[in-house]
Amino acid sequence: MTILIKILKDESGATAIEYGLIAALISVAAITAFTAVGTKLSGLMVNAANKMK
């Protein structure tokens, strides 16, 4: 029974989970930003190509 109580009170894995969640949040934000920039850049390039024709 004392082993179960020690396992339940152990919080060493909580830090790893928190770092994982932070990394996931940063990844989602980066993907969103890159998608928005990529879309605008693509539109800019298409517009420049159409003006060159």
Side-chain angles (χ1 to χ4, degrees):
M1 189 67 165
T2 58
I3 295 174
L4 181 61
I5 293 172
K6 285 182 182 179
I7 291 173
L8 291 175
K9 288 184 178 181
D10 185 18
E11 295 182 5
S12 61
T15 303
I17 292 171
E18 290 170 357
Y19 283 134
L21 290 172
I22 291 170
L25 179 64
I26 291 171
S27 298
V28 169
I31 290 169
T32 303
F34 293 151
T35 301
V37 169
T39 302
K40 288 186 178 190
L41 186 60
S42 176
L44 182 68
M45 293 297 176
V46 168
N47 189 19
N50 287 336
K51 288 185 178 181
M52 286 184 183
K53 288 182 181 180

